[in-house]
Every structure is written in C-alpha cells, then in structure tokens.
Amino acid sequence: MQIVSRNITFHVHLKNRSEEDEVADIKIDKIDKFYGNVQVIKDVSLEIKSQSFTVLVGPSGCGKSTMLRMIAGLEDINSGTISIDGTVVNELPPKERNIAMVFQSYALYPHMTVFDNMAFGLKLEKRSKEEIDERVQEAAKILQIEEYLSRKPKQLSGGQRQRVAIGRAITRKPKVFLFDEPLSNLDAALRVQMRVELAKLHDNLNATMIYVTHDQTEAMTMADDIVVLNEGVVSQKGSPLDLYNGPNNLFVGGFIGSPKMNFISTKITSKSQDKTEVDLMGSSTINISKTLSSANEGDAVMLGIRPEHLIINEESDGSWESKVFVVEKLGSGTFLYLEKEGEPLVVQTDGDSNIKVGDTVKVGFSASRCHIFDKSSQEAFK
Ligand code: ADP
Ligand code: MG
C-alpha cells in the first residue's frame, strides 16, 4: 500500500490486523493522585475505546503527563483503578502492561545506532535475531528511516530522531501507544507533517493510542475523541466537533477553537416560555433561540461567539457598531480586532476585505451560533 501525504510517501507493508490481533480498551475509574498534599488528579473516570485515537488536551500543569504516566505504570495511583482489556493493572509493572510510550524528548541512546536504538527493547525481551531484524525493518519502512539505520542519533535532524523514538515504540507491537507531546520540539512545518503521519500510522496499526498535548489544533486534527483536562478534572469529553459546537462550559468554549471564542459579559433582559432575550453591548437585545430552562430574568451570563460566526456589515439577528483597532491579514482570511470593554472582540472575515484600522463596522451574528454560559457556575445553558 502506498500512502501519500503532503510531501512524503509512506510504504506501508503491515498486514491489516486480523481479529485475533490484540488491541485494548482502557477504563479509568475514579482515580485520584496527590503529590504531597496537593491533589493533581481529581476523581477522573474515563473510557477509552479500543483502537481509538484519544487526545488528552489541556493547559500546562493540568495533569496530562501524570495521567499518561499512571496508565503506563510509571506513577502510583492514590485511589481508583485503571483497567486494560478488563484487567485491573494498578499493581502491574510498566513492562507487563503491553504499552509503549513516546515522549517529547526523544531519549535515544546517543552511542547506539538507529537500528540498535529501535532493537533495544526487543533484545531485552530476548527475541531472536531474525525477529528483531524483521520488526526493525518493518518499522523503519513505515517511518521512512531505512536509510538512517546505521547512523547515530546526533547525525539526524529533530524530526528524524522523533521518528526513531516512534519506531522504537512500533517495534514492540504494543496494545497501547502513549504519546506525551511528541511534536513539541519540532518546528511548525514539521509538526503539521508529523500530525498527518501519526494519524495515518494510527489507521494502519489499528492500535489504541492516547496522545497528550497542550495544543488544541493537534487535538482537533488528530482525535477521534478529545478529553479536555482542566486542573486535574475532566472538563468535557467528545468528538472534535461536539466540543467545538457544544462546549459544556466556559473553559472548553475558550480552549477549543482558534482564535478563541469571544466572550461578552451580559445579562438576561427578559424571559418567557418561548423566548429569552439578552442585552447586546447596551445597544440592542437579541432573542436567543434557546429555552435556557434554568435561567431567570436578570441573571448574569456570558455570551460566547466564535470569531468565524460574527458577521460584518450584513443583516443579522442582533447587531451593534464597533471600531476596528487592529487588522490582521492572513490571505485566506482577515481578523479584525474590535473595541470592547475588557478583551477585544475578534472577528474573522474575508481574505480580501478592505476594512481598515479606524473604520466603524456593524457587527452581528445569528442567534443560533451563540453560546450562553451561567456566569457563576460557568456551565453552558443548553
Ligand atoms: P501537564 O503534563 O498537564 O503539564 P503534569 O501532569 O506534568 O502536567 O503536572 C500536573 C501537576 O502536578 C503540576 O502542578 C505539576 O507541578 C505537579 N507535579 C508533576 N509531577 C510532580 C512531582 N513529581 N512532584 C510534585 N509535583 C508534581
Ligand atoms: Mg506534560
């Protein structure tokens, strides 16, 4: 099979996995983790489907690496259980969990060749020379590093080194791959390329993969399921578009999507059985087509609207006037920064827009595109 991505060709010779091939689902049940008396993972429960590509995403320090290390067995759990394929693995040492992990730092042995780096784990497992040879060649082929097998790591670029680290994981044929920010050390163009390659690797290996990143773009582009982690708590889990279209709370609304969702602090001005109106920048009201059963007149709310859902100088459900103070032209689109109390409002408009700094524009949106969050609980009204 030949797979062509942007500027690279994979020759994938792996057979399609047959039914008896092992893949694993992972069940995490009510786990807590403390460092000293600081709780960094708080009652987390998660089910990770067999063969899925699940991305754990969240800001730095929210507990992503800790979660991954607990699944790998590199970190004890204070309470709760982790099961792989129906077996509780809390007490199993890492090497008995049938898991391979790839880190941000490649952690290759500098004095060993690429081949030996990739063969190292298999030698420890006392595999035959023929089997080691076959598995290393197969992984090298998938990752297109065959011609580098006799080089030392320092003779490789960062991207090639990260491939070797991934290759080392592939040779072990694990049931589960764990990736901890593996692309963070690569430059932007290579990151985009490796994103595509990892997604294809997942399609070809059919293994269960858990991928940790702080980058919502990586999460959106690669995941079957995204788990948003915030301060040790699962904020929301769902498909990329579920999270984009239906964030459960202010945090997920602001974290998923780039540039981020705009938030307008406002209140409910009137509410009846069939309509709910909120104040719009003090200049008009908008009837949001949602029932908001638990909201009341006068409640303070946050209205969330994405830059791509704001409309400039066109008819809309509700609008106000605003002055443009920054224009960013990207070619494919233009971002306008509009004056507002607090953070500016960002609007995405056409690439060939001729709006200039200092212009006053009419800003509006369709009511069905807005998200309403309770200001105190930060939960979304659905
Ligand atoms: P992330 O990978 O999301 O950036 P981590 O899982 O590495 O976050 O860390 C979560 C929290 O736990 C952070 O506040 C971090 O400082 C703390 N932490 C991580 N490892 C240790 C440790 N070995 N000892 C004490 N605190 C730690
Ligand atoms: Mg980390």
Side-chain angles (χ1 to χ4, degrees), residues 43-80:
D43 196 32
V44 166
S45 294
L46 270 182
E47 286 195 30
I48 291 165
K49 289 193 282 291
S50 178
Q51 302 189 28
S52 70
F53 196 126
T54 298
V55 177
L56 268 178
V57 68
S60 178
C62 71
K64 305 179 296 293
S65 296
T66 304
M67 283 291 300
L68 217 56
R69 292 171 57 81
M70 290 190 296
I71 296 169
L74 300 170
E75 203 75 66
D76 289 335
I77 305 167
N78 290 98
S79 59

Side-chain angles (χ1 to χ4, degrees), residues 8-52:
I8 195 152
T9 311
F10 276 147
H11 297 274
V12 178
H13 294 276
L14 280 192
K15 61 176 170 39
N16 280 333
R17 291 213 167 201
S18 56
E19 271 161 28
E20 65 267 27
D21 276 331
E22 292 177 293
V23 280
D25 57 7
I26 298 172
K27 193 155 183 267
I28 292 169
D29 196 28
K30 297 193 161 98
I31 57 174
D32 291 313
K33 174 71 184 174
F34 291 82
Y35 286 118
N37 49 19
V38 180
Q39 186 169 9
V40 297
I41 297 295
K42 299 162 189 163
D43 196 32
V44 166
S45 294
L46 270 182
E47 286 195 30
I48 291 165
K49 289 193 282 291
S50 178
Q51 302 189 28
S52 70

Side-chain angles (χ1 to χ4, degrees), residues 25-260:
D25 57 7
I26 298 172
K27 193 155 183 267
I28 292 169
D29 196 28
K30 297 193 161 98
I31 57 174
D32 291 313
K33 174 71 184 174
F34 291 82
Y35 286 118
N37 49 19
V38 180
Q39 186 169 9
V40 297
I41 297 295
K42 299 162 189 163
D43 196 32
V44 166
S45 294
L46 270 182
E47 286 195 30
I48 291 165
K49 289 193 282 291
S50 178
Q51 302 189 28
S52 70
F53 196 126
T54 298
V55 177
L56 268 178
V57 68
S60 178
C62 71
K64 305 179 296 293
S65 296
T66 304
M67 283 291 300
L68 217 56
R69 292 171 57 81
M70 290 190 296
I71 296 169
L74 300 170
E75 203 75 66
D76 289 335
I77 305 167
N78 290 98
S79 59
T81 56
I82 296 181
S83 317
I84 301 178
D85 262 351
T87 308
V88 174
V89 298
N90 287 31
E91 304 301 325
L92 274 191
K95 64 177 182 344
E96 287 170 31
R97 296 192 184 194
N98 213 342
I99 275 176
M101 192 154 166
V102 179
F103 300 92
Q104 175 178 349
S105 61
Y106 325 116
L108 302 177
Y109 298 107
H111 58 287
M112 288 187 197
T113 61
V114 167
F115 184 99
D116 288 337
N117 265 287
M118 284 167 66
F120 188 74
L122 300 176
K123 282 183 183 158
L124 285 186
E125 290 174 10
K126 305 228 175 339
R127 305 266 171 189
S128 71
K129 191 179 169 311
E130 292 70 36
E131 187 181 2
I132 292 176
D133 231 50
E134 189 187 317
R135 288 204 195 184
V136 171
Q137 292 292 348
E138 188 179 67
K141 207 168 269 175
I142 294 171
L143 295 163
Q144 290 207 303
I145 49 176
E146 293 159 283
E147 55 193 288
Y148 309 124
L149 285 173
S150 57
R151 288 200 194 170
K152 299 276 174 62
K154 68 170 185 299
Q155 298 167 298
L156 301 176
S157 69
Q160 290 163 341
R161 282 180 214 174
Q162 192 53 289
R163 276 163 212 252
V164 177
I166 295 168
R168 188 172 48 185
I170 294 175
T171 56
R172 298 190 43 220
K173 299 198 174 171
K175 284 202 270 189
V176 181
F177 285 84
L178 304 178
F179 295 96
D180 194 351
E181 313 231 14
L183 308 185
S184 298
N185 285 348
L186 307 179
D187 67 50
L190 196 53
R191 260 202 316 267
V192 173
Q193 184 185 323
M194 286 297 285
R195 241 162 47 198
V196 178
E197 294 185 23
L198 281 173
K200 298 214 154 123
L201 187 68
H202 174 252
D203 285 348
N204 283 292
L205 297 179
N206 289 329
T208 307
M209 293 188 172
I210 307 179
Y211 185 102
V212 157
T213 179
H214 64 275
D215 179 350
Q216 67 88 34
T217 308
E218 284 185 11
M220 289 297 284
T221 52
M222 293 197 284
D224 297 318
D225 285 315
I226 298 179
V227 178
V228 181
L229 209 60
N230 182 23
E231 297 182 351
V233 174
V234 174
S235 213
Q236 192 171 355
K237 179 182 178 210
S239 72
L241 287 184
D242 281 348
L243 301 199
Y244 176 84
N245 290 321
N248 277 345
N249 51 57
L250 214 56
F251 180 79
V252 174
F255 194 80
I256 298 290
S258 176
K260 76 196 262 296

